């Protein structure tokens, strides 16, 4: 007989986790249990006060002994048909937010002329996304644990919509502060977006599709960056007349405002807190082990005691920070070698991101099939370094087609690495909160992004593009070396393997049938 203790301690410690996972699988949960949708997968993270596991909860070795429907619903492992709609809607509003991040930098010289400001001021319209994320991560991660996915999704989408409409008040050259305000609002929205992919994947998707789902969620953000490189140079031509420029800029702002509004409405309609049944055994276990009296900040302390995760935080930040710097400064670098090629500069950025989206999807599918997180991450990191070196020494050759080719190769690996980092972090830190592990990765990315963007920008202004790109190559080399020292402690995979898998079923429309459809081994 197994007694569930709501105060299980330190499941992040592998021996204790292993012991917990080896407990009798046929645990019966008391009928009055009410688990809040935002509950963390680690008992150290605060759950909703109403969440509890009855102290007298017990099970018989033979399986469930006529449990209530509430107990049966928790025990069933099913995949919800809504899961793809949820991840696609998230991917779309993430795309809209990412577009607004890069829309200024992709036509840096045009906005410099329109507002009469320096290149550094325009760079800060992108870097404010990075700066805002750092102090707001912990409050937003706490909100995610306290109020759940739907609340965070609604808030992020609403702020993204608000920021888009505020920018429409900045269509005069002297109104640069208004466009800064709109961009800052969008940067706050980003804090409610960036840490969500791995959390959505874990809550909504089965064990054999979480990496693919995470890649799809990240895909939207990368697509937004791609569109942000492609569309602004087309909608806003490089002309001297500021009144004409204001007209063209207004078209771009109205389009993005309309799209952001539509996506906010879709979030209200489509986005739900969590599926009726857990999609995987690891997720079911995380519900069963949720504790109502654990410390939220102790989870952060444990994460920083996890050496493998700390190494991943550093290496992820170096890679993503290099990508942020490259994206922000791409227009400036291309224009220096190919004057008047603003449109092609945007297309090169588009090539980088489209190739990266392909790399992300392939990486996600490969991870779901092979589970080789450490090996895949290391290979992709090394190829990112190789791609950066080749791009560095071919940018100044005078042939745009060569730049397209080398930039695309670089993007395939550099951008394709981003979802790998999220999923590897979840594996290394299970059963900690996915929102917290992803958030700390993103903080590292923002910090290195600011440092790299400012430093590389100054190097380019003083010494040229090649020294600036070599600067990034040095830090990517460091990241590749540190990645080799990460030990592949795949805790989530171990949780899913401890109990033999049975065929996971699609959730049927008639939920009344749920109590009769149970997995062979259940929690």
């Amino acid at each position: 007989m197994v007694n569930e203790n709501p105060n299980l301690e330190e499941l992040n410690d592998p021996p204790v986790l292993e012991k917990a996972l080896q407990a009798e699988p046929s645990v019966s949960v008391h009928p009055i249990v009410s688990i809040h949708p935002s509950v963390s997968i680690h008992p150290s993270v605060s759950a909703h006060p109403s969440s509890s596991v009855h102290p007298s909860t017990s099970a018989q070795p033979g399986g469930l002994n006529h449990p209530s429907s509430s107990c049966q619903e928790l025990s069933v492992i099913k995949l919800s048909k809504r899961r793809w709609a949820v991840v696609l809607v998230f991917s779309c509003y993430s795309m809209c937010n990412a577009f607004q991040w890069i829309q200024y930098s992709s036509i840096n010289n045009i906005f410099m002329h329109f507002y009469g400001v320096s290149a550094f001021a325009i760079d800060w319209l992108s870097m404010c996304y990075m700066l805002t994320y750092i102090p707001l991560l912990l409050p937003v991660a706490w909100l995610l644990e306290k109020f759940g996915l739907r609340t965070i999704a609604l808030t992020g989408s609403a702020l993204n919509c608000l920021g888009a409409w505020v920018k429409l008040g900045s269509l005069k050259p002297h109104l640069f502060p208004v466009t800064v305000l709109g961009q800052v609002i969008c940067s706050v929205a980003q804090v409610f977006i960036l840490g969500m992919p791995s959390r959505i994947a874990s809550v909504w998707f089965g064990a054999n599709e979480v990496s693919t789902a995470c890649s799809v969620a990240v895909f939207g953000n990368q697509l937004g960056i791609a569109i942000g490189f492609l569309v602004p140079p087309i909608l806003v031509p490089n002309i001297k007349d500021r009144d004409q420029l204001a007209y063209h800029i207004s078209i771009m702002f109205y389009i993005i405002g309309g799209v952001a509004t539509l996506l906010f409405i879709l979030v209200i309609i489509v986005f739900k807190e969590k599926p009726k049944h857990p999609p995987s055994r690891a997720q079911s276990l995380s519900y069963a082990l949720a504790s109502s009296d654990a410390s939220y900040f102790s989870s952060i302390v444990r994460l920083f005691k996890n050496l493998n995760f700390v190494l991943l935080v550093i290496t992820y930040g170096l890679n993503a920070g290099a990508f942020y710097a490259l994206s922000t400064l791409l227009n400036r670098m291309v224009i220096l070698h190919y004057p008047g090629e603003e449109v092609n500069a945007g297309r090169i950025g588009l090539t980088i991101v489209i190739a990266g989206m392909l790399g992300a999807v392939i990486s996600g599918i490969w991870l779901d099939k092979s589970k080789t997180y450490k090996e895949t991450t290391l290979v992709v990191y090394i190829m990112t370094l190789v791609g950066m070196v080749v791009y560095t020494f071919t940018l100044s050759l005078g042939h745009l087609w060569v730049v397209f080719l080398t930039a695309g190769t670089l993007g395939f690996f550099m951008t394709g690495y981003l979802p790998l980092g999220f999923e590897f972090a979840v594996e290394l830190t299970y059963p900690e909160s996915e929102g917290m592990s992803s958030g700390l990765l993103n903080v590292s990315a923002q910090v290195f992004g600011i440092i790299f963007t400012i430093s590389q920008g100054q190097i380019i202004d003083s010494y040229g593009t090649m020294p600036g790109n070599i600067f990034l190559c040095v830090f990517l080399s460091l990241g590749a070396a540190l990645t080799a020292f990460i030990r592949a402690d795949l805790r989530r995979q171990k949780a899913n393997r401890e109990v033999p898998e049975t065929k996971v079923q699609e959730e049927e429309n008639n939920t009344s049938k749920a109590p009769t459809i149970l997995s062979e081994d259940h929690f």
Side-chain angles (χ1 to χ4, degrees):
M1 183 174 290
V2 177
N3 293 322
E4 283 198 33
N5 181 1
N7 296 315
L8 290 174
E9 296 178 357
E10 298 299 314
L11 276 177
N12 197 35
D13 185 41
V16 180
L17 174 61
E18 182 177 352
K19 182 178 179 181
L21 292 174
Q22 291 173 348
E24 175 65 46
S26 55
V27 173
S28 170
V29 180
H30 194 277
I32 65 169
V33 67
S34 172
I35 295 181
H36 194 271
S38 65
V39 71
S40 170
I41 62 175
H42 195 283
S44 67
V45 181
S46 298
H48 195 277
S50 66
S51 303
S52 64
V53 179
H54 197 278
S56 63
T57 297
S58 63
Q60 296 181 0
L64 291 177
N65 185 17
H66 303 293
S68 68
S69 60
S70 298
C71 174
Q72 287 175 317
E73 287 174 4
L74 181 61
S75 301
V76 174
I77 305 298
K78 277 188 169 182
L79 297 179
S80 170
K81 293 179 180 178
R82 182 184 286 269
R83 69 192 188 280
W84 291 110
V86 169
V87 76
L88 287 174
V89 168
F90 168 79
S91 190
C92 286
Y93 77 79
S94 176
M95 172 190 70
C96 181
N97 184 260
F99 174 90
Q100 297 192 79
W101 168 58
I102 205 66
Q103 68 180 152
Y104 294 98
S105 294
S106 63
I107 46 175
N108 181 291
N109 55 323
I110 295 175
F111 277 109
M112 285 171 55
H113 168 66
F114 180 74
Y115 287 116
V117 296
S118 66
F120 189 63
I122 301 299
D123 288 344
W124 268 109
L125 291 176
S126 292
M127 287 192 290
C128 73
Y129 264 58
M130 308 174 202
L131 187 63
T132 305
Y133 192 91
I134 298 169
L136 293 182
L137 164 68
L138 293 181
V140 172
W142 180 83
L143 290 173
L144 175 61
E145 300 303 323
K146 183 71 174 176
F147 297 104
L149 285 173
R150 177 173 167 81
T151 300
I152 297 301
L154 287 171
T155 305
S157 183
L159 288 171
N160 183 65
C161 180
L162 176 62
W165 287 108
V166 166
K167 293 176 186 179
L168 279 164
S170 65
L171 296 174
K172 298 289 184 182
H174 66 283
L175 294 176
F176 182 70
V178 178
T179 210
V180 171
L181 174 62
Q183 191 73 343
V184 169
I185 294 174
C186 291
S187 72
V188 175
Q190 178 216 213
V191 187
F192 290 83
I193 294 172
L194 279 188
M196 294 272 279
S198 58
R199 181 63 173 260
I200 292 174
S202 293
V203 170
W204 283 91
F205 288 84
N208 292 323
E209 56 186 19
V210 287
S211 296
T212 301
C214 186
S215 296
V216 171
V218 175
F219 182 93
N221 192 271
Q222 304 308 311
L223 181 60
I225 298 173
I227 297 173
F229 277 120
L230 178 66
V231 172
I234 296 173
L235 294 180
V236 186
N238 188 3
I239 54 180
K240 298 299 182 183
D241 190 321
R242 289 188 173 181
D243 291 333
Q244 285 295 314
L245 269 181
Y247 168 74
H248 290 292
I249 292 172
S250 71
I251 292 175
M252 179 171 68
F253 285 172
Y254 272 114
I255 291 174
I256 197 65
V259 170
T261 303
L262 174 62
L263 291 172
F264 176 56
I265 295 171
L266 284 176
V267 170
I268 295 174
I269 297 171
V270 174
F271 214 99
K272 299 298 181 183
E273 197 69 59
K274 68 172 185 177
K276 185 180 180 68
H277 305 287
S280 68
R281 301 188 183 282
Q283 192 65 20
S284 180
L285 180 64
S286 74
Y287 292 161
L289 297 179
S291 171
S292 60
D293 60 355
S295 169
Y296 172 70
F297 290 101
S298 66
S299 174
I300 303 173
V301 173
R302 274 191 304 277
L303 285 174
F304 280 108
K305 289 181 178 179
N306 185 333
L307 178 60
N308 294 313
F309 177 68
V310 171
L311 287 174
L312 182 62
V313 166
I314 296 171
T315 57
Y316 184 92
L318 291 171
N319 189 300
F323 171 70
Y324 291 158
L326 187 69
S327 301
T328 302
L329 302 172
L330 182 64
N331 175 268
R332 193 192 307 185
M333 287 191 285
V334 172
I335 295 302
L336 281 174
H337 293 287
Y338 306 92
E341 295 287 355
E342 289 88 0
V343 173
N344 275 323
R347 289 172 179 167
I348 291 170
L350 174 68
T351 302
I352 291 174
V353 181
I354 292 293
M357 289 190 293
L358 178 61
V361 171
I362 292 175
S363 297
I365 295 172
W366 170 254
L367 283 184
D368 280 331
K369 298 292 184 183
S370 69
K371 310 301 183 186
T372 54
Y373 289 85
K374 162 70 178 292
E375 295 83 354
T376 303
T377 301
L378 181 59
V379 168
V380 170
Y381 214 122
I382 292 172
M383 293 307 298
T384 297
L385 172 60
V386 172
M388 188 69 208
V389 171
V390 174
Y391 170 80
T392 298
F393 289 97
T394 56
L395 179 62
S396 59
L397 292 181
H399 302 290
L400 268 174
W401 68 269
V402 175
V403 180
F404 273 96
L405 181 62
T406 57
T409 304
L410 170 61
F412 181 87
F413 295 105
M414 177 177 276
T415 313
Y417 171 83
L418 302 183
L420 289 179
F422 283 149
E423 283 300 289
F424 198 13
V426 174
E427 292 292 338
L428 293 174
T429 61
Y430 180 87
E432 301 287 357
S433 167
E434 303 96 330
M436 180 55 66
S437 62
S438 298
L440 291 174
L441 290 184
N442 283 321
V443 165
S444 178
Q446 314 306 325
V447 170
F448 282 112
I450 292 173
I451 294 171
F452 289 169
T453 301
I454 294 175
S455 301
Q456 188 184 16
Q458 295 298 316
I459 293 171
I460 289 172
D461 290 340
S462 301
Y463 304 104
T465 58
M466 184 173 291
N469 286 326
I470 290 175
F471 168 80
L472 294 184
C473 290
V474 171
F475 284 97
L476 287 174
S477 300
L478 175 62
L482 291 177
T483 300
F485 289 98
I486 300 175
R487 185 168 63 90
D489 182 17
L490 306 182
R491 301 178 181 182
R492 184 174 63 178
Q493 293 302 316
K494 186 174 182 180
N496 280 319
R497 288 196 304 267
E498 286 294 333
V499 182
E501 284 288 349
T502 56
K503 185 177 181 181
V504 177
Q505 304 176 46
E506 284 279 347
E507 182 179 70
E508 297 188 11
N509 293 329
N510 186 0
T511 56
S512 64
K513 296 181 180 179
T516 64
I517 305 176
L518 293 173
S519 54
E520 182 180 3
D521 297 295
H522 42 267
F523 294 94

